[in-house]
Amino acid sequence: MTERKSFYITTPIYYPSAKLHIGHAYCTTIADAAARFKRLAGYDVFFLTGSDEHGQKIQLKAAEEKVTPIQYVDRIVAGFQQLWQRLGISNDDFIRTTEERHQKVVQEIFRRIYAKGDIYKGEYRGLYCTPCESYWTERQLKDGMCPDCGRPVQEVAEEAYFFKLSNYADRLLAHIEANPDFIQPVSRRNEMINFIKQGLDDLCISRTSFDWGIPVPGDEKHVIYVWFDALTNYLTPIGFLDDATKFGRYWPADVHLVGKEIVRFHSIIWPCILMALDLPLPRKVYGHGWLIVGGDKMSKSKGNVVDPNLLIDEFGADAIRYFLLREIVLGQDGNFSRDALITRINADLANDLGNLLHRTLNMIGKFQAGVVEAAGPATEISVALRTAARETVAEYEREMEAMELSPAIKRVWAFIGRANKYIDETAPWALAKDPAKKAELATVLYDLAESLRIISVMIAPFMPATASRIWSQLGQKGSFDDVRLNDIKDFGALSAGQTIGRAEQLFPRIEIEEEAATAKPVMKEKPAKETKAEVKGSAGGGEVTFEDFSRIHLRVVKILTAEHVPGTDRLLKLTVDLGGEQREIVSGIAQHYEPETLVGKTVVMVVNLKPAKIRGIVSHGMILAASQGDGLRLLEVDMPLGSQVK
Ligand code: MSP
């Protein structure tokens, strides 16, 4: 038996200096889609992600929270792992740089390079800002002062270890020039070539000013510089020190997927470390673009940080994955907006894909008693559809192999459109009325079911949960994990005689209704009469279960701006901060509050309420208030932004 080809893909390991945002989720989703595709294509895949837990910044964060660094990172990293699970990330391992297995690797690498003479002890000179505990270069200063706090900096010199990057610059340049695919996209490659040509300084790889890091072997007052520690993560879980067979199978990595700002570390420093270790270089470093929000880089101070957990609560993981992979062209920056996300969900998922599945299953249920019959003779139009299916699979494979994810998705959706059109062209409901057309009807319905089977496999890398839901609704047997790309290359592999499963809606449409200006977007206390009926559990049937209640996500938010909605006397437009993310909502409280008195109030909001368009403004949530008679007061709380109310 020939061994399966291997494929090793990595994401950067994320800093636990804060919770992850949608930009981090974007990066990991790309890698996940690529890994899932390769598994589908029959590769032996190893997909790695993890956390980069050392360094001064983490040590300071922990001190701020009055916990030890390990207590601090344990908590944040548990959140990373939970997010990846919720997002359907299929990583084969999760590396934490604080694990013992990693510490061993880093120290061993340090020892080997030191023994070779490519690490030496020298003096690090820099400009130090004591209050900020930060080192700066001359160029980074603002008017000669610390760029963060504006205070004076001092020149300091400390003993440090250096790595002779300069020894490897020529070899690296030759490698980049001889391997056009090594750094992608090409714009990043050109940047790196220019950078190297300016000359590489030796790299300082140890610090003595803090101690949250891996000690330098034999000189423990030094800790190893965080990038030297972080980059070597890629070697740890694939058996660098303890499993030569595994290491031989997966190294060199096929793709290090990284954000554009860290391509430099991966395509210059990392290859030089590998050359010093006499290890082969990774096949590719791919620098993806940044996800921006409202045209701006996400940042806490701008309040435009989007929390992926809230989005998953609201729209489900597959919809978010679809949006990120479809909307943003790999390598370029792309904009995230809730409105664009909702438009995609409605148009592509609920409409195009949902309707195709729904119409097909409905007709098989109605016209064939729920059993997919064998196709009758092929008609001209059927041959055209089958040809389109084969071509789509072939082109999809080519694009996915080249990591052209967005074009591949668009191609699949073009085929979904083609299949929907096939229904309109063949009008199966008319064929069903004529017994003489039974064979023709069988061809149409078989073609549709088979197209959906093929579509489900092609979308599996992007929307794994949806793919297997379609699979089981088609009545396919076996586990979706065993399905391979080869199973969809020939149109007609769907076996006839299969009973379809229970039809379920894949993506409910997100209605953004035009609500009347009299809408009541604040929750009011129920009239006493109704409440009594609920307590008795009689008449109104108004009881909710705990599960029902827990589907409502309530958070503490702060009102940032408030203004009247023109032409109304009840409505205010508010911007609220959810602890990083900002939302716009419309609230019917203008008769109870002057807008300026609301700014700065910390209140409770339903964050997963269906968006509603009110007077042309899309309202993304609802703040809570208590009311009696004509009086109304918002529920104000004294808790940090983003806190859950339960
Ligand atoms: N710990 C280092 C990586 C070490 S890899 C050996 C690091 N961590 S990070 O948490 O700051 O960033 C991790 C990745 O997230 C980077 O690739 C970065 O580009 C990516 N992103 C951070 N913000 C992003 C967006 N807004 N959009 C897309 N990716 C973004 O750097």
Side-chain angles (χ1 to χ4, degrees):
M1 213 176 80
T2 54
E3 234 193 293
R4 287 190 302 151
K5 281 182 291 177
S6 64
F7 182 76
Y8 180 27
I9 184 165
T10 66
T11 73
I13 49 173
Y14 300 95
Y15 287 133
S17 48
K19 282 195 331 190
L20 296 179
H21 59 54
I22 191 72
H24 304 117
Y26 169 58
C27 178
T28 307
T29 303
I30 301 169
D32 186 65
R36 285 178 182 272
F37 169 74
K38 287 288 184 174
R39 289 191 198 106
L40 208 56
Y43 287 74
D44 168 11
V45 172
F46 197 85
F47 167 27
L48 180 67
T49 188
S51 48
D52 185 0
E53 304 185 11
H54 291 125
Q56 193 174 20
K57 193 163 176 192
I58 303 286
Q59 193 166 2
L60 290 172
K61 281 266 177 187
E64 261 170 39
E65 292 197 9
K66 300 195 172 48
V67 292
T68 62
I70 194 70
Q71 284 171 329
Y72 171 81
V73 291
D74 277 352
R75 179 175 63 80
I76 304 263
V77 171
F80 289 10
Q81 289 169 326
Q82 198 191 15
L83 172 63
W84 298 148
Q85 208 202 348
R86 296 193 71 206
L87 198 58
I89 302 301
S90 62
N91 52 304
D92 295 289
D93 202 337
F94 186 98
I95 177 77
R96 298 184 56 176
T97 53
T98 48
E99 287 173 273
E100 203 189 328
R101 60 173 176 159
H102 181 64
Q103 172 150 341
K104 277 192 197 146
V105 168
V106 175
Q107 291 189 325
E108 178 57 20
I109 287 175
F110 191 99
R111 265 188 223 108
R112 287 190 195 177
I113 304 181
Y114 186 79
K116 196 175 178 187
D118 281 336
I119 289 178
Y120 62 92
K121 206 184 223 183
E123 194 181 49
Y124 174 78
R125 289 187 165 276
L127 299 160
Y128 189 62
C129 171
T130 315
C132 295
E133 293 194 56
S134 299
Y135 289 93
W136 303 106
T137 61
E138 194 77 51
R139 254 189 300 139
Q140 289 170 317
L141 299 184
K142 251 196 205 144
D143 305 325
M145 303 288 179
C146 168
D148 267 2
C149 71
R151 281 180 275 211
V153 291
Q154 295 133 23
E155 244 194 81
V156 290
E158 73 178 51
E159 179 188 275
Y161 287 88
F162 287 82
F163 171 52
K164 284 190 190 162
L165 214 52
S166 48
N167 267 1
Y168 296 95
D170 293 344
R171 255 177 78 187
L172 178 62
L173 200 56
H175 181 83
I176 295 175
E177 280 171 348
N179 295 276
D181 285 348
F182 177 56
I183 305 172
Q184 281 188 345
V186 68
S187 52
R188 301 275 157 246
R189 177 172 185 267
N190 296 339
E191 248 175 57
M192 293 306 119
I193 292 176
N194 289 338
F195 193 89
I196 301 167
K197 282 187 173 162
Q198 284 166 20
L200 297 180
D201 291 335
D202 287 347
L203 179 74
C204 174
I205 55 162
S206 79
R207 296 284 191 271
T208 51
S209 50
F210 62 95
D211 61 8
W212 180 238
I214 299 177
V216 166
D219 196 355
E220 315 242 315
K221 71 172 190 294
H222 290 260
V223 290
I224 295 173
Y225 171 52
V226 72
W227 273 101
F228 192 91
D229 163 358
L231 288 162
T232 54
N233 91 84
Y234 300 128
L235 299 180
T236 304
I238 54 164
F240 174 59
L241 286 184
D242 52 13
D243 188 342
T245 316
K246 188 172 180 186
F247 192 69
R249 188 159 47 190
Y250 295 119
W251 193 261
D254 292 273
V255 189
H256 288 316
L257 182 75
V258 299
K260 60 183 183 180
E261 86 289 9
I262 60 171
V263 169
R264 190 160 59 87
F265 295 93
H266 286 81
S267 60
I268 298 179
I269 297 178
W270 181 224
C272 291
I273 296 175
L274 290 166
M275 285 191 265
L277 290 168
D278 294 317
L279 286 177
L281 305 192
R283 296 204 167 88
K284 193 188 306 268
V285 174
Y286 201 116
H288 65 75
W290 277 53
L291 204 63
I292 50 181
V293 174
D296 246 338
K297 201 173 147 184
M298 265 179 277
S299 82
K300 249 198 153 153
S301 56
K302 285 192 205 110
N304 61 350
V305 180
V306 176
D307 179 348
N309 271 306
L310 289 179
L311 287 180
I312 297 172
D313 289 348
E314 216 175 335
F315 303 105
D318 274 10
I320 317 291
R321 294 174 59 110
Y322 175 79
F323 176 83
L324 295 174
L325 298 170
R326 151 97 205 218
E327 195 86 356
I328 297 146
V329 177
L330 198 58
Q332 293 172 19
D333 288 351
N335 198 50
F336 175 85
S337 90
R338 284 171 62 81
D339 290 351
L341 169 66
I342 291 171
T343 305
R344 283 261 163 249
I345 293 175
N346 285 345
D348 302 3
L349 304 182
N351 240 23
D352 297 347
L353 178 60
N355 278 349
L356 178 64
L357 180 69
H358 179 75
R359 292 163 91 190
T360 302
L361 294 180
N362 221 3
M363 291 190 292
I364 294 172
K366 232 157 111 189
F367 307 143
Q368 298 183 327
V371 179
V372 185
E373 289 175 15
T379 57
E380 200 179 313
I381 190 168
S382 158
V383 170
L385 180 85
R386 295 172 187 189
T387 308
R390 280 192 206 98
E391 284 170 3
T392 302
V393 174
E395 287 298 299
Y396 161 89
E397 182 177 13
R398 187 186 58 73
E399 284 164 338
M400 290 298 284
E401 283 288 356
M403 298 239 322
E404 292 170 11
L405 306 182
S406 177
I409 298 185
K410 287 183 188 143
R411 189 173 297 283
V412 176
W413 253 257
F415 181 66
I416 292 172
R418 180 73 198 80
N420 268 320
K421 195 162 155 231
Y422 182 69
I423 301 181
D424 303 332
E425 288 166 345
T426 54
W429 47 90
L431 299 176
K433 286 193 185 130
D434 182 352
K437 299 268 170 69
K438 196 169 171 353
E440 207 177 310
L441 176 68
T443 301
V444 171
L445 296 183
Y446 180 89
D447 282 352
L448 288 171
E450 173 62 343
S451 296
L452 274 161
R453 186 186 69 91
I454 292 172
I455 289 163
S456 74
V457 176
M458 286 194 288
I459 65 171
F462 317 122
M463 299 196 288
T466 305
S468 67
R469 285 176 70 197
I470 298 178
W471 187 258
S472 54
Q473 291 190 42
L474 288 171
Q476 292 296 294
K477 303 279 174 300
S479 157
F480 199 85
D481 294 343
D482 301 328
V483 178
R484 294 287 168 265
L485 198 62
N486 277 341
D487 301 332
I488 59 167
K489 286 189 178 164
D490 287 326
F491 193 98
L494 177 86
S495 36
Q498 208 127 270
T499 308
I500 54 169
R502 207 161 60 88
E504 275 173 22
Q505 194 176 30
L506 295 177
F507 293 93
R509 267 188 77 78
I510 299 169
E511 298 298 343
I512 303 188
E513 289 146 13
E514 193 72 49
E515 292 198 0
T518 49
K520 293 179 181 136
V522 292
M523 197 177 270
K524 293 209 173 187
E525 194 186 83
K526 292 219 167 101
K529 221 169 55 201
E530 208 177 306
T531 315
K532 267 192 226 126
E534 280 173 23
V535 173
K536 276 194 258 151
S538 61
E543 280 179 350
V544 293
T545 63
F546 181 72
E547 280 70 35
D548 290 337
F549 174 71
S550 50
R551 289 179 56 217
I552 300 173
H553 294 219
L554 300 166
R555 302 259 169 161
V556 174
V557 304
K558 182 161 139 190
I559 301 175
L560 300 177
T561 64
E563 59 188 83
H564 283 285
V565 173
T568 74
D569 52 7
R570 292 190 62 252
L571 299 180
L572 293 181
K573 182 169 94 173
L574 310 177
T575 337
V576 296
D577 182 355
L578 283 74
E581 180 190 341
Q582 280 187 16
R583 296 245 189 117
E584 201 160 78
I585 64 168
V586 176
S587 189
I589 54 174
Q591 286 164 337
H592 306 278
Y593 287 96
E594 285 306 320
E596 51 285 2
T597 63
L598 288 169
V599 175
K601 280 194 193 301
T602 311
V603 294
V604 177
M605 180 169 108
V606 184
V607 292
N608 62 340
L609 191 74
K610 202 155 78 174
K613 200 181 238 178
I614 304 166
R615 287 294 173 114
I617 304 164
V618 180
S619 177
H620 295 282
M622 175 172 83
I623 51 172
L624 301 192
S627 77
Q628 197 168 45
D630 287 340
L632 178 142
R633 269 4 252 162
L634 293 181
L635 297 186
E636 288 185 65
V637 290
D638 181 16
M639 279 295 284
L641 298 192
S643 304
Q644 276 184 34
V645 180
K646 44 191 183 181

